[in-house]
Amino acid sequence: TLLSAMVLPGVLLLTGWPLACRAGNQQTVKIPDANLAGHIARALNVTSGEITLADMERLTDLEIDFFSAYWHRGVANLEGLQAARNLTSLRIWSKPPRPALETTNLAPLMGLSNLATLVLSGNQLASLILPQGLTGLRTLDLQENWLTNLSLPDDMGGLTNLVLRGNSLVGLVVPDGWSELAALDLRYNQLIDF
């Protein structure tokens, strides 16, 4: 099955992502969100319309920015990213009025232990639950969202940089034993004590 594209004013609609599977690491990865699939295909320089498990294992860096969200639409489903086992940097950032990330379901990131940098800034996120298994995460940037509370998983103890500037935080729970945290930016929040 090949990828087909339809262009409407201000919208790029990608359809036809295959659901069939092939043997081994040539298995086709299901990526239901057409916008995410398009960004991954561009990052991998895949033009066939099929993204395989072998392709996803080559993905180390993915950026989806404000400009993509402004001209098209944001990513509403991260399903498929769990196959990117070698992903080290994921940056989905925006500026109002259009978020680049339109979901708070980060479950597909669970277990991506090579992910070192996660930037989800400026996406108007009012709540967020970070999954377990992001054990390699060193930088987490959630600035300029609408977060009021945040609890961080116990297994992210290697985090060195945490940027929460410009939210509406009134509560923050940082697990005990986070000895690696070197930079914590909490400016422009409503925290009194944490």
Side-chain angles (χ1 to χ4, degrees), residues 122 125-127 140-150 162-174 184-194:
L125 301 173
S127 65
L140 176 61
D141 184 344
L142 300 172
Q143 69 179 302
E144 303 299 329
N145 281 293
W146 298 343
L147 298 171
T148 56
N149 287 291
L150 184 63
L162 179 57
V163 182
L164 298 169
R165 176 180 58 236
N167 280 281
S168 298
L169 287 172
V170 294
L172 174 64
V173 177
V174 176
L184 175 61
D185 187 347
L186 294 171
R187 292 177 289 166
Y188 311 112
N189 278 285
Q190 299 174 15
L191 289 167
I192 296 172
D193 193 17
F194 78 96

Side-chain angles (χ1 to χ4, degrees), residues 6 27 31 75 80 82 84 89 95 102 123 132 149 164-165 178 193:
M6 177 175 32
Q27 175 181 349
I31 305 171
V75 171
Q82 65 271 26
S89 178
K95 295 183 181 282
E102 298 174 352
N123 284 299
Q132 294 284 334
N149 287 291
L164 298 169
R165 176 180 58 236
W178 275 30
D193 193 17

